[in-house]
């Protein structure tokens, strides 16, 4: 099992020692970075070569999650009370007394619990909990500002680059370190996720392909038969490529049964789209939906959901609905998105009610925000991303503004006549 280990040098060394001791079946692939921003240089290669990824800190994970869709299982080694205990032990071993300290990453409540447990009499605790939106350099500046003003005598950080920088300045800095139990817990969770993904890959996969109903077209019965034969001939070859079986449901409706692993393989998706392009040259329009599930019934149901979405799009469109009702599509298109049809997150359900849109629509909007790495939208941009009309996009902007989940930051006036375009920024959602 190949696992990518991503982080700074010191925690990676500790992870490798744990792997050597407890995980003989794991083949680690090491990616060392100095600052969280450097993760963008290596993450795609890491995904290509690994079955899963272990991040040594939440800062690295959040940096990746902001703009990259991680397609392999991953886990973050968190810091907890044991990390603080280890720091306090190291400080006491150095013969130092903690009067005033600054500590980042961890929540204030947990810090005070450990301080009380140790019976420490700390005069002042300055705390800056982890926030994905806060830059690494901001945490460093915060520590330095407090130290230069004489407000603290001990600095505790979870960030490797901050620790190294402050240590080079001969400042009294300590690292919120990894412990063996934390590393083992994260490794166990990641291995469990990898095995689950492997099981998912062997789920039943059904792809339904449909070409435009010839009854609705102004063509002869003979031409319709020729079109059906052309489609069937292509799909027979495709079924062999995906190691599946083909079933003709009617004259313009086919079903291919295989596995999730084979159907959503990138090469096979490209093979399917080449078929689409060849048929398109002969004026044959086809649509397709893939569905995955633990049973044939679930896979077929999901493929029908996917097909219904594909039929609303242009020729050759493919949608995928997986076992937990997550939608992907239109596949291989510039505006491909991933979102959930069924939302179980209580917070998202609450927000969707307050905005006045469906939870699925909210999931789609959040997917657009993440995939495009953009928090600012006008009606034209939303219409394009969500594949809706301008009128619907304007209504959505109004609902976001009225509910407090969107803020109008400016308006843009285009040449000629027409209403000014509102530029909205999402807030309190992501």
């Amino acid at each position: 099992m190949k696992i990518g280990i991503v982080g700074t040098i010191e925690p990676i060394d500790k992870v490798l020692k744990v792997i050597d001791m407890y995980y003989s079946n794991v083949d680690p692939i090491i990616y060392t970075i100095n600052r969280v921003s450097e993760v963008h240089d290596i993450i795609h290669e890491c995904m290509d070569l690994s079955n899963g990824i272990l991040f040594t800190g939440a800062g690295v994970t959040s940096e990746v999650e902001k703009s990259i869709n991680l397609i392999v299982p991953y886990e973050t080694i968190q810091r907890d009370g044991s990390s603080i205990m280890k720091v306090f032990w190291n400080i006491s071993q150095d013969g130092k007394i903690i009067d005033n300290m600054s500590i980042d990453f961890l929540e204030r409540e947990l810090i005070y619990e450990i301080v009380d447990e140790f019976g420490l009499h700390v005069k002042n605790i300055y705390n800056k909990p982890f926030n994905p939106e806060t830059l690494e350099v901001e945490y460093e500046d915060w520590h330095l500002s407090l130290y230069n003003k004489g407000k603290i005598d001990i600095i505790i950080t979870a960030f490797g680059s901050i620790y190294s920088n402050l240590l080079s300045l001969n400042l009294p800095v300590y690292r919120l370190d990894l412990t063996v139990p934390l590393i083992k817990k994260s490794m166990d969770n990641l291995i469990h996720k990898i095995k689950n993904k492997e099981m998912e890959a062997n789920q039943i996969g059904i792809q339904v392909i449909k070409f435009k109903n010839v009854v609705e077209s102004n063509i002869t019965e003979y031409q319709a038969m020729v079109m059906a034969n052309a489609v069937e001939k292509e799909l027979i070859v495709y079924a062999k490529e995906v190691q599946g079986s083909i079933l003709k449901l009617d004259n313009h409706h086919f079903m291919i049964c295989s596995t999730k692993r084979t159907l959503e393989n990138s090469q096979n998706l490209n093979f399917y789209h080449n078929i689409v392009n060849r048929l398109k040259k002969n004026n044959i329009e086809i649509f397709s939906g893939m569905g995955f599930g633990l049973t044939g019934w679930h896979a077929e149901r999901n493929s029908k959901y996917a097909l219904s979405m594909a039929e609303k799009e242009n020729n050759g469109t493919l949608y995928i609905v997986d076992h937990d009702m997550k939608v992907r599509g239109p596949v291989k298109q510039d505006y491909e998105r991933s979102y959930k049809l069924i939302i179980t997150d209580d917070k998202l359900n609450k927000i969707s009610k307050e905005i006045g849109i469906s939870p699925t629509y909210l999931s789609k909007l959040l997917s657009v925000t993440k995939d495009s790495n953009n928090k600012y939208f006008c009606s034209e941009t939303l219409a394009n991303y969500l594949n809706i009309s301008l009128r619907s996009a304007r209504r959505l902007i109004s609902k976001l503004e009225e509910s407090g989940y969107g803020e109008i930051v400016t308006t843009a006036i285009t040449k000629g006549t027409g209403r000014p375009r509102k530029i909205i920024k999402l807030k309190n959602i992501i």
Side-chain angles (χ1 to χ4, degrees):
M1 183 183 293
K2 295 183 181 296
I3 292 182
I5 315 294
V6 181
T8 52
I9 294 174
E10 191 175 323
I12 284 181
D13 286 342
K14 294 189 176 181
V15 171
L16 291 177
K17 288 177 182 177
V18 172
I19 290 175
D20 286 340
M21 290 177 64
Y22 301 101
Y23 301 94
S24 58
N25 63 327
V26 170
D27 181 13
I29 305 173
I30 308 306
Y31 292 92
T32 303
I33 59 175
N34 294 315
R35 281 195 173 272
V36 295
S37 57
E38 295 175 8
V39 72
H40 297 284
D41 299 330
I42 55 88
I43 193 62
H44 290 290
E45 179 187 305
C46 185
M47 285 193 287
D48 290 340
L49 300 179
S50 309
N51 301 114
I53 302 174
L54 184 68
F55 295 107
T56 62
V60 185
T61 310
S62 65
E63 181 68 19
V64 174
E65 289 176 334
K66 287 176 186 176
S67 57
I68 296 171
N69 180 30
L70 287 163
I71 58 175
V72 297
Y74 64 96
E75 186 74 17
T76 304
I77 306 176
Q78 301 291 347
R79 271 65 171 176
D80 65 4
S82 63
S83 301
I84 312 177
M85 291 180 196
K86 190 172 181 181
V87 169
F88 287 167
W89 172 257
N90 290 337
I91 293 172
S92 67
Q93 290 296 101
D94 289 342
K96 294 181 181 179
I97 298 174
I98 307 174
D99 280 333
N100 305 284
M101 71 175 184
S102 62
I103 180 168
D104 59 37
F105 194 85
L106 296 174
E107 296 294 330
R108 190 174 189 83
E109 183 179 350
L110 175 61
I111 297 166
Y112 272 93
E113 285 178 0
I114 303 301
V115 167
D116 290 342
E117 187 70 25
F118 267 69
L120 299 175
H121 302 287
V122 183
K123 294 177 182 177
N124 293 296
I125 299 176
Y126 297 90
N127 174 228
K128 194 175 182 69
F130 178 70
N131 183 336
E133 300 301 317
T134 303
L135 298 176
E136 194 172 4
V137 67
E138 293 180 49
Y139 288 102
E140 185 172 342
D141 291 343
W142 173 74
H143 284 298
L144 279 171
S145 175
L146 288 171
Y147 186 81
N148 290 333
K149 291 176 182 177
K151 292 185 175 181
I152 56 173
D153 42 49
I154 294 288
I155 299 170
I156 302 173
T157 180
F159 297 92
S161 63
I162 296 176
Y163 173 76
S164 299
N165 291 344
L166 299 186
L167 194 63
S168 68
L169 297 174
N170 294 318
L171 297 183
V173 58
Y174 289 83
R175 178 95 186 262
L176 279 172
D177 226 334
L178 304 182
T179 61
V180 171
L182 286 176
I183 296 171
K184 287 182 67 178
K185 179 181 177 182
S186 299
M187 281 293 297
D188 291 341
N189 288 342
L190 179 57
I191 290 170
H192 178 70
K193 289 179 181 179
I194 292 171
K195 289 180 178 178
N196 277 350
K197 187 174 178 67
E198 185 68 21
M199 290 175 62
E200 282 182 21
N202 294 319
Q203 285 178 3
I204 297 170
I206 291 180
Q207 182 174 3
V208 183
I209 301 102
K210 186 176 181 180
F211 67 95
K212 192 172 183 180
N213 194 339
V214 295
V215 176
E216 300 172 0
S217 306
N218 188 25
I219 61 175
T220 66
E221 186 176 338
Y222 174 75
Q223 288 173 318
M225 184 179 67
V226 171
M227 289 173 64
N229 287 340
V231 173
E232 187 172 7
K233 183 180 177 181
E234 291 278 13
L235 294 182
I236 287 172
V237 178
Y238 174 62
K240 290 180 181 178
E241 191 71 19
V242 298
Q243 304 169 32
S245 57
I246 184 170
L247 178 65
K248 187 175 182 179
L249 302 177
D250 55 45
N251 284 334
H252 61 281
H253 209 174
F254 298 85
M255 177 185 287
I256 292 176
C257 301
S258 185
T259 63
K260 181 177 187 287
R261 181 199 304 275
T262 343
L263 285 176
E264 69 173 358
N265 175 277
S266 182
Q267 289 183 338
N268 290 335
L269 290 175
N270 288 333
F271 193 95
Y272 168 76
H273 281 285
N274 288 335
I275 292 174
V276 170
N277 293 331
R278 286 195 295 270
L279 292 173
K280 196 173 185 179
K281 291 177 182 178
N282 295 318
N283 297 316
I284 301 175
E285 298 180 20
I286 67 173
F287 311 90
S288 183
M290 280 185 193
F292 306 130
L294 297 173
T295 66
W297 182 86
H298 285 102
E300 184 177 359
R301 178 200 64 182
N302 292 343
S303 71
K304 289 177 180 177
Y305 280 142
L307 180 63
S308 68
M309 287 181 274
E311 288 182 289
K312 298 174 185 176
E313 304 270 349
N314 297 323
N315 172 44
T317 302
L318 167 65
Y319 272 81
I320 298 173
V321 177
D322 69 14
H323 70 287
D324 63 354
M325 304 304 285
K326 186 176 181 180
V327 177
R328 175 188 169 191
V331 177
K332 298 288 183 180
Q333 302 287 343
D334 291 338
Y335 54 101
E336 179 181 326
R337 300 287 175 253
S338 296
Y339 57 93
K340 284 199 170 185
L341 282 174
I342 299 175
I343 308 300
T344 55
D345 188 295
D346 291 339
K347 181 183 177 183
L348 289 184
N349 280 312
K350 178 176 178 290
I351 291 173
S352 66
K353 286 181 182 179
E354 291 173 354
I355 296 174
I357 59 176
S358 70
T360 301
Y361 213 77
L362 178 60
S363 175
K364 203 171 182 180
L365 180 61
L366 292 176
S367 169
V368 167
T369 305
K370 181 176 180 180
D371 292 346
S372 64
N373 197 24
N374 188 9
K375 296 179 184 178
Y376 300 90
F377 302 97
C378 64
S379 55
E380 286 83 356
T381 308
L382 275 180
N384 180 48
Y385 280 150
L386 299 175
N387 197 26
I388 57 177
S389 67
L390 268 176
R391 186 177 180 183
S392 297
R394 291 190 188 108
R395 282 202 301 266
L396 176 57
I397 285 177
S398 295
K399 288 181 177 181
L400 288 166
E401 182 185 8
E402 291 166 5
S403 61
Y405 289 103
E407 176 186 359
I408 303 299
V409 292
T410 187
T411 56
I413 302 175
T414 55
K415 292 181 179 180
T417 58
R419 68 177 76 183
R421 291 184 303 163
K422 292 181 177 180
I423 310 294
I424 194 167
K425 174 187 177 183
L426 299 182
K427 64 177 188 177
N428 303 325
I429 301 180
I430 53 177

